[in-house]
Amino acid sequence: MCKGLSSLPSSCLERAKDLRVKLSHLTETHHKLKGQDGRVPHDLETLLKNRSALLAFRGFLRSEFSEENLEFWLACQEYRVSPSNVQKIKSSSIYNQFINPDAPQEVNLDAETREALLGVTDSPCADTFDEAQQRIYNLMAKDSFPRFLRSNHAIKAY
């Protein structure tokens, strides 16, 4: 029944070799990004805790020119654990980088949230950016993350 590989046209053999290499690569990268429980991150929260997956997600967002949401979220995480004596400086930096309407990496926040932040940047506390951070997280979870999972970036990463 099987006449052996030598009877196949060379183009078929080349195609089969190429597919084998691609499948091998996908399997290898899939295992690299598995979480500690052995599963690939399928939710944003898990992805944000996995360095390799986070880097792949950042690359995807960069390719879509929407990296500012992740950068804002990460800045808020860093801000939250900052000592209180540096929070005012970091608060101002976050506002100028991401919140201000003329910010170089302005995130998409509703006017009410933006105005509320303007009022508290002079006297920040650890939870100053919590609401805005949660809104951006929800935006990424509902919009960017599902697109990432369908993208070549996720295929290459997983």
Side-chain angles (χ1 to χ4, degrees):
M1 184 156 318
C2 181
K3 297 179 183 178
L5 295 176
S6 61
S7 65
L8 289 174
S10 63
S11 63
C12 289
L13 287 174
E14 291 302 315
R15 176 98 171 111
K17 287 178 186 176
D18 185 47
L19 287 173
R20 189 187 72 184
V21 169
K22 287 180 180 176
L23 285 172
S24 173
H25 175 70
L26 284 174
T27 302
E28 181 181 314
T29 54
H30 170 83
H31 291 292
K32 283 182 185 175
L33 286 180
K34 283 184 177 181
Q36 290 180 344
D37 62 357
R39 295 184 308 170
V40 174
H42 287 292
D43 62 86
L44 184 58
E45 183 176 348
T46 305
L47 178 139
L48 293 170
K49 295 175 185 175
N50 180 313
R51 181 161 170 72
S52 299
L54 179 62
L55 290 173
F57 186 51
R58 178 180 270 149
F60 167 74
L61 292 174
R62 188 175 293 132
S63 75
E64 291 204 333
F65 305 100
S66 61
E67 184 178 15
E68 69 278 355
N69 289 334
L70 179 60
E71 295 302 325
F72 172 74
W73 189 88
L74 292 169
C76 290
Q77 287 295 100
E78 184 180 319
Y79 169 83
R80 180 180 286 121
V81 297
S82 296
S84 58
N85 63 331
V86 296
Q87 283 184 340
K88 185 167 181 161
I89 295 167
K90 286 191 178 218
S91 170
S92 178
S93 175
I94 290 171
Y95 186 84
N96 291 329
Q97 186 72 26
F98 301 105
I99 310 296
N100 188 337
D102 297 325
Q105 291 185 291
E106 183 182 1
V107 291
N108 187 9
L109 291 172
D110 58 275
E112 184 179 328
T113 303
R114 193 176 301 276
E115 290 300 318
L117 285 172
L118 179 59
V120 296
T121 52
D122 288 335
S123 55
C125 59
D127 63 354
T128 295
F129 295 102
D130 284 0
E131 184 178 341
Q133 184 184 23
Q134 186 61 49
R135 289 182 187 272
I136 294 301
Y137 177 91
N138 291 341
L139 181 64
M140 289 191 298
K142 291 177 184 171
D143 183 43
S144 305
F145 182 68
R147 284 196 330 273
F148 166 71
L149 290 177
R150 294 186 302 269
S151 75
N152 286 337
H153 288 269
I155 291 169
K156 290 176 186 174
Y158 296 137

